[in-house]
Amino acid sequence: MAAAAVFFSSSALRPGLAPLRRWRALSLLAPWVDYSASSSPRSASSDEATIFSGTKLAKQVLKEVQSDVESWISFGNKRPHLTVVLVGDNPASHIYVRNKIKAAAAVGISSEVILRPKDISQEELLDMMVKLNKDSTVSGILVQLPLPDHIDERTVCNAITLEKDVDGFHIMNIGRLCLDQPSIIPATASAVWEIIKRTGIQTFGKNVVVAGRSKNVGMPISMLLHTDGEHERPGGDATVTITHRYTPKEQLKIHTQLADIVIVAAGIPKLITGDMVKEGAAVIDVGINYIHNTLSGKTELVGDVDFEEVKKKAGFITPVPGGVGPMTVAMLLKNTLIIAKKLIY
């Protein structure tokens, strides 16, 4: 996947530049981050972390995609078209798909949703993939996960032709990612990587903990961060430790307290607490958890980080909602455009 340019000026990031001037420069270049005018990324008044707005950065990325779509079409090319296959009645999946369709329309990418009941057979779903692969009007195909238990997700993802795999879940895309070659990068991993680059978080030689080992999120994030920056698909040159839901809490704490960057995608509410984070660390919360608030009686979306406690220690933190989520949608549409333009395959 073609990486977006990091547009910080060298003077803004040069180590010798006075901290006050450096953070002021960053605030002009990265309006999606609430940088304080203090001498560090933490607020002088509240001594809390800089809170990142994924919504603001996503708008910037979508604006770039919209401009590229308009340019692509102006040269007589076909408008990119995204087909989303949605199986079952999972409320969260329906919300995610609506957000993707809405964002696609905003950037000029046409789209459609194919709804199928939860009892659809795997054979029927695979037949659908074959038809969509052959459909010349479809630029990219996305199967919304999770699928019902009787369907093997990996088999379905691999049934999507490589040239239309906007999610980057095909075994060839994952394989190329692991070999540091250009590929379609899974949207959530790409979102985390884009946040790190565009906010100027330094990864070279840094210690990173990725809590979560899923093949669609934790693993690709780890690959992006530890890869040699000089390879065909440059990486972050960081030292990466991968943990997961079965890592004993005390062992996890040992790792996270040493980490300059903590990325949490384990699916466990409040897995990371304030005492587990090193002062000034960057904390990126990828968690999506729906919990019932007994006081309000409402269902709430929360991440994997104890936000209120961790922001007192961290230097940089992403909230849930409003952090990685909006950026994931933006990077998915960027993937759709890359696929439509055949920039990789």
Side-chain angles (χ1 to χ4, degrees):
M1 169 178 177
V6 180
F7 47 79
F8 296 124
S9 66
S10 58
S11 62
L13 293 178
R14 192 170 63 247
L17 191 65
L20 175 61
R21 290 173 55 207
R22 181 162 64 250
W23 285 102
R24 281 179 176 165
L26 284 169
S27 69
L28 296 174
L29 291 164
W32 43 84
V33 179
D34 182 20
Y35 288 108
S36 165
S38 66
S39 60
S40 77
R42 297 168 66 81
S43 167
S45 60
S46 64
D47 196 32
E48 292 184 346
T50 293
I51 299 174
F52 167 84
S53 174
T55 302
K56 288 183 179 180
L57 179 53
K59 288 180 179 178
Q60 176 64 36
V61 174
L62 290 172
K63 184 177 180 181
E64 295 166 7
V65 173
Q66 181 183 27
S67 177
D68 286 347
V69 168
E70 291 173 353
S71 176
W72 175 249
I73 294 172
S74 70
F75 283 100
N77 296 298
K78 183 176 62 177
R79 184 178 298 279
H81 180 85
L82 174 65
T83 295
V84 181
V85 178
L86 178 55
V87 178
D89 49 11
N90 184 310
S93 292
H94 280 258
I95 293 172
Y96 300 149
V97 168
R98 281 200 300 271
N99 290 340
K100 292 168 184 177
I101 296 302
K102 182 179 179 181
V107 300
I109 293 176
S110 64
S111 61
E112 65 176 329
V113 179
I114 299 177
L115 294 171
R116 289 294 182 268
K118 63 182 179 181
D119 58 355
I120 185 175
S121 70
Q122 179 166 304
E123 290 70 25
E124 289 177 283
L125 199 53
L126 293 175
D127 287 343
M128 184 189 302
M129 296 303 105
V130 172
K131 293 176 181 177
L132 291 174
N133 287 338
K134 295 179 179 179
D135 189 340
S136 62
T137 66
V138 176
S139 306
I141 304 168
L142 181 155
V143 176
Q144 183 64 42
L145 303 180
L147 291 171
D149 292 341
H150 67 281
I151 296 176
D152 183 69
E153 292 182 352
R154 184 57 57 193
T155 298
V156 173
C157 289
N158 285 333
I160 300 172
T161 185
L162 189 65
E163 293 80 6
K164 296 187 179 185
D165 175 33
V166 297
D167 253 337
F169 293 163
H170 190 284
I171 190 171
M172 289 292 290
N173 268 319
I174 294 296
R176 290 174 67 90
L177 174 68
C178 292
L179 292 174
D180 309 322
Q181 296 177 351
S183 65
I184 295 297
I185 299 173
T188 302
S190 185
V192 171
W193 185 226
E194 201 74 3
I195 288 168
I196 288 172
K197 291 188 295 180
R198 295 209 188 200
T199 52
I201 295 173
Q202 298 299 300
T203 60
F204 187 89
K206 300 297 184 180
N207 288 322
V208 178
V209 167
V210 177
R213 58 182 174 182
S214 77
K215 300 303 180 281
N216 299 339
V217 180
M219 186 275 286
I221 288 173
S222 303
M223 296 303 301
L224 290 168
L225 283 166
H226 91 266
T227 302
D228 190 332
E230 301 298 321
H231 278 181
E232 187 178 357
R233 192 265 304 141
D237 281 308
T239 300
V240 179
T241 299
I242 302 173
T243 67
H244 48 81
R245 63 173 56 241
Y246 298 122
T247 301
K249 194 68 175 282
E250 287 306 310
Q251 291 295 320
L252 175 61
K253 184 176 179 179
I254 291 171
H255 294 301
T256 56
Q257 286 181 332
L258 295 173
D260 304 293
I261 303 170
V262 180
I263 301 169
V264 199
I268 303 174
K270 295 188 178 182
L271 174 66
I272 303 299
T273 52
D275 62 324
M276 299 173 69
V277 177
K278 181 170 74 172
E279 188 81 24
V283 179
I284 300 177
D285 191 350
V286 190
I288 299 176
N289 307 289
Y290 289 92
I291 63 172
H292 180 72
N293 187 319
T294 55
L295 295 177
S296 66
K298 298 180 179 179
T299 298
E300 297 179 353
L301 172 61
V302 299
D304 290 354
V305 172
D306 187 339
F307 183 81
E308 293 302 322
E309 289 301 315
V310 171
K311 73 178 183 180
K312 298 174 184 177
K313 291 279 296 292
F316 175 97
I317 191 169
T318 62
V320 176
V324 176
M327 275 298 293
T328 297
V329 174
M331 298 313 294
L332 170 71
L333 296 178
K334 188 168 185 176
N335 281 356
T336 302
L337 181 60
I338 291 171
I339 286 283
K341 295 172 71 173
K342 303 186 187 307
L343 295 180
I344 295 179
Y345 305 115

